[in-house]
Amino acid sequence: MQIETKRFGTLEVDPGNVLTFPEGLIGFPDYHEFVVVDFKVKDECVRWLQAVSEPALGFVTLDPKAVFPDYDPEVCAKDLSSLDSSPDDMMLLSVVTVPKDIRKMTANLQAPLVISPKKRVGRQVIVTSPEYTTKHYVFSAVSSLSQRTG
């Protein structure tokens, strides 16, 4: 199937890759179907989440554990029950805010997208872990990670 996007133009998408968010995303409750678009960059943890039905609605996302390896959010079991998957099978994505000064890019670790890859269904949840906020600096985390791992 083809979808129109503001950022990438027309994309050919396998209908089997569409993710359904039955409740939508926070602030966007009317949009339920999204696809993950990989950027053509070396770092595969950054992806674009594109709404299927709205070309202008898309988000930069990242795998939070790739940038914040100690990220271990507590999520209410009730929030995960609708996904009908075990926590070990879940994929997490964090929505990223990219300002003009890219060095000030932040990831929302307080409200990750929890996705069941097998069922192709997801939900944005609010974690109960008080240490996570909506603004965690990505560049400082990557720099710190590089220093720790070499």
Side-chain angles (χ1 to χ4, degrees):
M1 73 188 234
Q2 290 188 336
I3 63 169
E4 294 297 322
T5 73
K6 183 177 178 182
R7 177 151 321 262
F8 303 106
T10 303
L11 293 177
E12 186 67 36
V13 176
D14 179 345
N17 289 336
V18 173
L19 299 173
T20 302
F21 290 83
E23 298 169 8
L25 302 181
I26 295 170
F28 302 92
D30 298 330
Y31 300 95
H32 303 278
E33 293 184 324
F34 292 82
V35 293
V36 175
V37 180
D38 290 327
F39 287 111
K40 303 294 184 206
V41 294
K42 182 176 89 171
D43 185 359
E44 294 179 14
C45 76
V46 178
R47 296 181 173 91
W48 184 260
L49 185 70
Q50 176 65 50
V52 170
S53 63
E54 175 52 57
L57 184 59
F59 305 93
V60 175
T61 65
L62 60 76
D63 172 354
K65 292 188 180 241
V67 177
F68 305 94
D70 298 329
Y71 184 56
D72 189 22
E74 294 175 28
V75 179
C76 291
K78 181 180 94 175
D79 287 338
L80 297 179
S81 65
S82 65
L83 300 178
D84 195 27
S85 256
S86 77
D88 294 336
D89 295 334
M90 301 288 182
M91 178 175 86
L92 291 176
L93 291 177
S94 291
V95 176
V96 175
T97 300
V98 184
K100 280 189 175 194
D101 182 353
I102 197 167
R103 294 170 296 176
K104 295 181 181 176
M105 178 171 48
T106 59
N108 180 346
L109 298 185
Q110 187 177 40
L113 307 177
V114 182
I115 300 165
S116 169
K118 289 179 185 172
K119 304 237 183 229
R120 307 300 299 166
V121 67
R123 181 173 189 174
Q124 188 169 22
V125 300
I126 305 294
V127 301
T128 58
S129 313
E131 67 270 27
Y132 301 120
T133 70
T134 59
K135 295 183 189 273
H136 288 264
Y137 287 98
V138 174
F139 271 82
S140 59
V142 169
S143 176
S144 174
L145 183 60
S146 294
Q147 290 174 1
R148 289 191 328 207
T149 60

